[in-house]
Amino acid sequence: MQFTKLQGLGNDFVMIDARGIIRNWSSLAGRVCDRHRGIGADGLLALLSSDKADFRMRIFNPDGSEAETCGNGLRCFVRYLYEQRLIENATCTIETMAGVRPAKVINKPEGGTEIRVGMGSPEFNPDRIPVAATPEKGRLIDIMLGDYPLEIAGHTLKLNFVSMGNPHAVCFTDEPVAGFPLQNIGQAIGMHPLFPQGVNFEIARVTGDDEIEMRVWERGAGETLACGSGACAVAIAGHVLGLTTTNVYVILPGGRARVDWDKTSQAFLTGPAETVFTGEWPE
């Protein structure tokens, strides 16, 4: 089975053209993503045909679970399509479990290539995130983006909840995120009953009107160098809370991504994606 390894901001994926192939992708993802006995990746991307868009993307985490969407995975997916000349021009649409997403390849005048993808509109309804928190009064957005207190692993966290097609819990801090105990906290939050389908947890610090630094613990993968949907969740939460502008650069351990959201349409994520290597999986 031929594969291509790609990465976007250090968030790495194994890409397989799965059209016409029948496999247990969940089981395969665990073996392929293993960094000691497999190829090593944060996720497995399967390219499939679609009757709703130009192509369909499925993404499987290293633990075998299937994710609704993934911003960096989507950008890597589009980069593969572009390099393989599977799309005739620089634009296309991709079907995901979270909906159809538009994408565009941007060849920068100064050199280099970036991929811009639509990430859908944010959702603040607790049933749609989902989060087991019931608002008593006021608008849902006031409850979901209102520093919901949670005692966990000896820490008091103030969480903000956003869905980008997948669930996110965002915690803003005044301290540099590099010193935050994400390994322990992220795992504990991911298993908390407040989140019936698990959650992606982001610790973030606003460093300017148009800049936020963040780290992420991804559901099904653990800490990763970047998370596109997480970057969008952090940028949107920051803007709604009045901390940032509508166009924000999110600084992740793997690099910088741009998030644009004007409150009236879907959010857009822009950043680099590139092929690392190709190979053949022996199974």
Side-chain angles (χ1 to χ4, degrees):
M1 180 181 291
Q2 300 296 318
F3 72 85
T4 299
K5 175 78 175 286
L6 301 106
Q7 66 89 15
L9 300 174
N11 206 187
D12 57 343
F13 304 90
V14 172
M15 175 88 178
I16 294 176
D17 188 341
R19 292 174 296 177
I21 301 176
I22 299 177
R23 291 294 297 266
N24 184 331
W25 300 111
S26 293
S27 176
L28 181 63
R31 299 191 297 277
V32 162
C33 293
D34 191 302
R35 296 193 181 276
H36 300 287
R37 299 180 177 85
I39 301 167
D42 292 323
L44 171 67
L45 303 177
L47 165 62
L48 298 165
S49 300
S50 172
D51 57 4
K52 298 179 181 179
D54 293 319
F55 295 96
R56 178 186 175 201
M57 180 186 82
R58 295 182 70 184
I59 177 168
F60 298 87
N61 294 313
D63 68 353
S65 60
E66 185 169 4
E68 299 91 343
T69 189
C70 173
N72 289 321
L74 186 58
R75 292 191 301 101
C76 288
F77 188 93
V78 174
R79 181 63 187 250
Y80 175 87
L81 297 178
Y82 184 69
E83 290 184 346
Q84 297 297 316
R85 299 184 179 180
L86 294 176
I87 52 179
E88 295 182 357
N89 51 47
T91 62
C92 63
T93 54
I94 309 298
E95 177 188 355
T96 72
M97 287 179 62
V100 174
R101 302 292 185 244
K104 182 178 181 180
V105 180
I106 302 171
N107 293 310
K108 299 189 293 183
E110 65 273 21
T113 300
E114 290 189 326
I115 311 296
R116 173 182 166 94
V117 294
M119 293 296 294
S121 297
E123 177 63 66
F124 305 106
N125 189 312
D127 293 334
R128 296 289 300 275
I129 293 175
V131 55
T134 304
E136 297 179 358
K137 296 180 180 179
R139 297 182 305 148
L140 285 172
I141 195 170
D142 293 331
I143 305 300
M144 295 300 99
L145 291 175
D147 291 336
Y148 188 96
L150 181 66
E151 295 281 345
I152 196 161
H155 293 262
T156 300
L157 303 177
K158 295 182 178 180
L159 302 180
N160 301 277
F161 308 121
V162 185
S163 173
M164 294 304 305
N166 56 354
H168 294 270
V170 178
C171 178
F172 286 100
T173 178
D174 294 329
E175 301 296 326
V177 299
F180 187 83
L182 185 59
Q183 179 74 22
N184 295 332
I185 300 296
Q187 189 170 16
I189 289 180
M191 300 172 60
H192 197 279
L194 186 63
F195 308 103
Q197 295 181 16
V199 74
N200 301 287
F201 172 67
E202 290 85 22
I203 183 71
R205 180 173 72 116
V206 176
T207 54
D209 289 342
D210 63 349
E211 185 177 279
I212 304 174
E213 66 168 10
M214 65 164 270
R215 290 170 62 202
V216 58
W217 178 272
E218 290 197 59
R219 176 186 58 169
E223 183 174 6
T224 59
L225 294 180
C227 175
S229 60
C232 290
V234 165
I236 288 168
H239 179 55
V240 173
L241 292 170
L243 304 176
T244 62
T245 61
T246 57
N247 305 316
V248 177
Y249 288 100
V250 181
I251 313 302
L252 305 114
R256 186 175 78 162
R258 179 185 171 98
V259 177
D260 300 294
W261 182 59
D262 62 6
K263 287 189 175 182
T264 62
S265 60
Q266 68 177 308
F268 286 89
L269 173 72
T270 304
E274 62 183 16
T275 294
V276 182
F277 59 85
T278 62
E280 183 176 289
W281 182 252
E283 295 183 24

